Amino acid sequence: MSAANRYDAAIVGGGHNGLTAAAYLAQAGLRVVVLEAGRQAGGAAATHEFAPGYRVSSVAHLLYALHPRIVRDLDLVRFGLSFCARDLPTRLWPDAGPTIDVHRDRIEDPAGRLSPADRERWAPTLARLTRLASALGRYLTATPPRPEFSANDRQTKIALAMFALALRRLGRKDMLELTRIIGMNANDLANDFFDSAPLKGLIALDSTLGVALGPRSPNTVIGLLFRLAALDSHGQGGLHLPAGGMGRVTAALEACARAADAEIRLAAPVARILVRDDRASGVVLESGEEIATRIVVSSADPQRTLLGLLGPEHLDTVFVRRIRGLRMNGAAAKVHLALDGLPEAWRDLPGRMVVAPDSDYVERAYDSVKYGAVSERPALEIVIPSLSDPSLAPPGGHVASIVAQYAPYKLRGSTPDEARARLRANVLAVLAERAPDLTARLRAVEVLTPHDLESRYLMTGGQWHHGEITLDHLFMLRPVGGYQQYRMPVSGLWLCGAGAHPGGHVSGLPGANAAREILKRRREWEAAT
Amino acid sequence: MTHLQHLRPFLRQTPFHDHIAPLVHSGAWIRWLGYMTPDRFESVQSEYFAIRNGASLYDISPLVKYRITGRDAARFMDHLLTRDMGKVAPGRVCYTAWCDDDGKVIEEGTVFRLGENDFVLNAALHQLHWLLDTAYGFEVQIEEISDALCGLSLQGPTSREILATLGVVGIDRLPHFSLIETTLDGRWLRIDRAGFTGDLGYELWVKPTDAGWLWDGLMRAGEQRMIAPIGSAALNLARIEAGFIQIDNDYIGALHTIRPSQRQSPFELGIGWAVSLGKPAHFVGRRALKREKESASSRHILVGIDIEGRKPAQGQFLYADEAGSQEIGHTASGIWSPTLKKNIAFARVPPAYASLGTELWIEIWYPKEHKIEKIMTRCRVVKRMFLDWPRRTA
């Protein structure tokens, strides 16, 4: 080991995964420095003020995926993690008419807009899907195996065996059902299970949140299962609102990492990963400062890490082609509304609200992605966090946090600015149809298109899962086959962001899994540096 | 009549075709990268001996040629190829391999460094997609210039005198693996001193419009010096004697094998000397090759063997013992060498059997008037460059 290295590990990016990795590594005694480009830690999992006195979760606004093991291991509750609302139901808002409240175990549909059969089968169907998802969820906390079984270490072999056992324990019928639906599209699944349009719309939107896929695109049910796993024991068990917004979650992670003596440097964007003797040997900041470390752990997305910060000249051809091929066409936008009071429709909102009147509505919204335009009539997931956490808005005011789909990164015939203006108008129009009194309450509107997400949070293509959640890029294939164990081809370079297994959502799992692999091979890389 | 499309002639003719065709008395045309080229003009033997005792003229126009230029051209070539380009000065030529991510040979061939950032790469197969993929992140222009150049390989002991007679100034000072560009009769001409015969020889490149001029000029200048046009069959004998491997005969390119296990590393092909693991730049496949070398995990090595008897031994099984109880490999190319008067072959054997002098056994099956016979005969591992004239590099 060279005495010049002040740090064992440089962590590129101080988002939730970077901080999780930092906390685990620092707790294991490594000297860790986190290099965050932004002025506050948290990356995209942050809370920001978008209008005077109005604050909102910047990207993800519901916490469900954060793994309980991480909360426990890192003692995050002690470090400030708390919820202001738990297990939110979903209100379907198909039109200006009566709404439907969907809970996990029941549906409240006073106006009778759903078929009686759907009202009855909702809970058992969701329970079954959740059970199937849970079997898959067992693998979230493990390192994906190498295809040759014998090439894996003992821990990975055991995890694989446990995974196989979990699938086996589903029983024959459920296992068959899982294999039947796993590659399916959300539209077929919705049609298969339900006959009421608003419920199909919910399935369609929940399956496609954050990906450039429509409900009829193959590979969308896996996205739904991925989400559902977190609604069971592999996540928070429900859709929760963190008190103080998502920034509070990362603040807890940050505090935990700092408590373990990790150094967290803000406004320190990394320009380049240094390579010496074919090893990642530190980073160069945009300021020109060089930081020598023994390993580099990047929570930036794989394209940014490998093609941008490292450079293709250090990599082989097919690997580069695979990384280039990752689909990074972000298609979801965030819209934030500052309101001086709630419109009638949102007065007694118990949780999140969904504008996806049916599966076809979502599919038609998706059509525009193919043609490089924002949706004329976007599908929306709306949360009013200020209802349960009044500190987010001035007295009497409220903030609405909206995920709007679709707004593709790859635009045709319009500039990002035009697309942003267009999306703003389209979202407000869809809302005004349902809540005519909303416009008068608006004080400010912020629209973050994928272009904005890319420039603000340095995520390629504004793809907030760091690569789509689809079968061809999950598990052993995340980010690409052969490199699923967090180690990159250049020795000493590790991936710990959502581009690595198990992927997106605010779960912390890629960071935790990467940290485990790094520590497992500690002796190896310590000997080499 | 689309279903008869394949009955229409579609093979291309090289710019030398009009000069070659009347001389192909054998009628033995073969297809090479979409061109028709002769396997032999009349007699393989006499063509072979022209290579060794006079001068031979072989049309190499079908080779695929890429020109690589741009600010990062030198860096890119170092990234693509296994050799250290830092050691190849402008005006020099070198033999090199290029590999896939796993360090398996996609192809090997010659690269010409025309300038600091100006290269021509000759390939036996179309490789543009691989070159372009590999060029991601490098500021280079890669252009296929196959149709802009045509070439003749002039090989044999009298080749230098022929070029001198033709009027090429300074040809006697052109070192092995070097190139010059010159003008003759007002025509542009590039000459490199390299070849596929293990003998003194040159390759001459001109614009397609000057093909006839070059052919006639060389035939005239070589009339008194035993010049003869040759086909692929005679060249094949010479290149095996010289120990040069050939794609599809001795190995399958890594991008073309059906079974990944059939891909071969440069070490396995016996061209490990062309891999510069220590060069400053990373190159494609380097980490895999380093692992292979450090862990000595090459599965086999393509060596030369000298076989007793005279039955050519292409594609035959090799054994560790006369009884044939332990099979260890097989041969690739194999011929009776007319110059050495020896039965030689390339053999793929495990590293433990690859050192010079190792005695092996080979079972050769051969036809004898509609009968198949076999013999088990002794062979010895020898230098794969069975024949190496000092004049090749002198």
Side-chain angles (χ1 to χ4, degrees), chain A residues 443-463:
Chain A
R443 283 300 155 265
V445 181
E446 180 187 49
V447 179
L448 300 178
T449 63
H451 279 94
D452 301 320
L453 298 175
E454 181 182 57
S455 55
R456 268 200 199 195
Y457 303 114
L458 307 176
M459 39 172 72
T460 306
Q463 215 308 335

Side-chain angles (χ1 to χ4, degrees), chain B residues 94-374:
Chain B
C94 91
Y95 171 82
T96 179
W98 56 99
C99 295
D100 68 4
D101 289 25
D102 299 328
K104 306 299 183 194
V105 177
I106 290 172
E107 216 189 297
E108 26 78 61
T110 39
V111 55
F112 308 86
R113 186 163 196 173
L114 306 179
E116 190 54 38
N117 277 311
D118 190 353
F119 297 83
V120 169
L121 179 67
N122 278 4
L125 299 173
H126 291 275
Q127 304 281 3
L128 191 59
H129 64 296
W130 183 260
L131 301 186
L132 291 175
D133 271 357
T134 307
Y136 177 80
F138 291 88
E139 206 185 296
V140 288
Q141 288 79 49
I142 300 170
E143 186 194 358
E144 186 182 337
I145 52 162
S146 300
D147 288 347
L149 281 181
C150 62
L152 290 173
S153 183
L154 176 71
Q155 303 278 317
T158 63
S159 55
R160 182 182 288 153
E161 295 157 43
I162 292 172
L163 289 178
T165 308
L166 189 68
V168 180
V169 180
I171 193 67
D172 49 335
R173 291 188 305 275
L174 185 67
H176 186 233
F177 275 140
S178 288
L179 64 87
I180 46 167
E181 290 187 16
T182 180
T183 310
L184 216 58
D185 295 348
R187 294 164 212 258
W188 174 85
L189 177 65
R190 178 184 297 147
I191 304 174
D192 66 75
R193 188 171 160 194
F196 210 42
T197 60
D199 213 315
L200 175 67
Y202 302 86
E203 291 167 337
L204 302 101
W205 306 95
V206 292
K207 293 189 183 126
T209 45
D210 296 333
W213 163 80
L214 181 66
W215 181 273
D216 289 339
L218 288 170
M219 290 298 268
R220 236 186 343 263
E223 212 177 347
Q224 303 301 314
R225 292 182 178 83
M226 294 269 294
I227 197 167
I230 65 163
S232 304
L235 181 67
N236 191 49
L237 298 176
R239 69 97 190 165
I240 294 169
E241 288 178 333
F244 293 132
I245 54 173
Q246 190 170 43
I247 195 163
D248 291 340
N249 278 324
D250 299 307
Y251 72 100
I252 304 171
L255 303 180
H256 290 88
T257 64
I258 294 167
R259 298 162 193 81
S261 61
Q262 282 306 99
R263 298 174 302 163
Q264 310 288 317
S265 79
F267 300 119
E268 292 172 338
L269 289 179
I271 52 170
W273 56 269
V275 178
S276 171
L277 286 176
K279 71 176 172 178
H282 171 72
F283 62 89
V284 182
R286 187 176 60 85
R287 293 182 190 110
L289 290 170
K290 192 157 171 265
R291 272 196 302 277
E292 181 182 339
K293 188 162 193 190
E294 282 169 359
S295 62
S297 56
S298 303
R299 298 161 298 175
H300 42 249
I301 297 176
L302 194 69
V303 297
I305 54 168
D306 180 355
I307 307 161
E308 289 184 353
R310 54 186 172 81
K311 302 278 181 278
Q314 182 151 354
Q316 308 291 336
F317 284 100
L318 288 152
Y319 297 91
D321 54 348
E322 187 175 9
S325 59
Q326 192 193 347
E327 184 199 315
I328 57 169
H330 59 268
T331 60
S333 298
I335 56 159
W336 169 259
S337 162
T339 296
L340 297 165
K341 308 287 184 256
K342 277 180 180 172
N343 193 13
I344 59 173
F346 298 165
R348 193 186 280 182
V349 298
Y353 293 89
S355 43
L356 293 182
T358 306
E359 197 178 272
L360 307 169
W361 291 84
I362 183 166
E363 188 176 67
I364 306 174
W365 296 59
Y366 60 96
K368 200 173 180 183
E369 294 192 327
H370 282 200
K371 233 178 99 199
I372 304 290
E373 303 211 336
K374 65 170 178 176

